[in-house]
Amino acid sequence: MATTSVADIVRLGPVIPVLAFDNATQGEHVSRALHAGGVKVLEITLRTAAGLEAIKRAAQIAPDIVVGVGTITKPEHCALAKNAGAKFGVSPGLTREIHDASLDAGLPLLPGVMTPSDIIAAMELGYEIVKFFPAVPAGGIAMLNAFHGPFPTLKFCPTGGITPETAPNFLALPNVVCVGGSWLTPKAALTAENWAEVTRLARAASELARPVR
């Protein structure tokens, strides 16, 4: 996949699933099911020990899949994920050390922000697209509307608490390019190994409308 920038990646689909796996085999099944439903971008988090191996397997599923690493909280995560096959990184917050490590690893980063100070710090480091996390607890649509005034050029990928019912409302905002969500992989479906249900949810998410910008 030739896509290399966060700006390109976030435009590949309206929803980036946020994934945490019990084991790498589960991760491979889920990644295949999501891809079959038209989801080309995955965020596989480091919240479990299976994360890096799941990234490695998912990255090999298809030439058009773009696998990212989520929950980057330490600088060393960047090189580890890049070596496993990740094409981009997502962090819940941002430090200068994580920024520098992402550059050193050649891993495009979608950094997390929650406050105006977070946003200014990210913009000073050159970021034009950021993750708003946790989106709903931090103010949701009202907060994103408020951000648009002082930061009119900044684009967001809100993540945290978004549902299939509320996702269209977020996607309709002028400063939102995509959303992150965990609803594509409900625990019941994973426990039952109901990969067809994951594909169904992925297909519905892929068909969500978003304005052309």
Side-chain angles (χ1 to χ4, degrees), residues 32 54-63 65 67 84:
R32 288 186 183 279
I55 289 168
K56 182 177 180 181
R57 295 191 190 187
Q60 299 170 0
I61 287 172
I65 199 166
V67 182

Side-chain angles (χ1 to χ4, degrees), residues 52 55 69 77-87 105-108:
L52 288 174
I55 289 168
V69 56
H77 288 161
C78 296
L80 289 171
K82 177 73 172 183
N83 292 337
K87 294 293 199 306
L107 188 74

Side-chain angles (χ1 to χ4, degrees), residues 156-172:
F156 293 87
C157 171
T159 304
I162 297 172
T163 68
E165 292 76 26
T166 61
N169 299 326
F170 281 91
L171 291 168

Side-chain angles (χ1 to χ4, degrees), residues 98-158:
I98 288 175
H99 168 76
D100 289 343
S102 71
L103 292 179
D104 291 342
L107 188 74
L109 186 65
L110 180 65
V113 302
M114 191 179 74
T115 69
S117 294
D118 293 342
I119 289 172
I120 291 170
M123 293 178 70
E124 285 181 348
L125 290 173
Y127 292 97
E128 299 176 347
I129 303 173
V130 295
K131 168 183 174 176
F132 177 43
F133 177 81
V136 172
I141 288 172
M143 185 68 85
L144 286 163
N145 276 325
F147 284 155
H148 192 48
F151 309 111
T153 64
L154 193 67
K155 301 301 181 184
F156 293 87
C157 171

Side-chain angles (χ1 to χ4, degrees), residues 19-35 42 44 48 50-51 53-59 61 65 67 185 190 195 198:
L19 309 167
F21 298 125
D22 295 334
N23 55 71
T25 299
Q26 180 191 67
E28 184 174 355
H29 282 300
V30 170
S31 298
R32 288 186 183 279
L34 289 167
H35 185 263
L42 312 180
I44 298 178
T48 69
E53 179 62 24
I55 289 168
K56 182 177 180 181
R57 295 191 190 187
I61 287 172
I65 199 166
V67 182
T185 54
L190 269 57
W195 313 129
V198 174

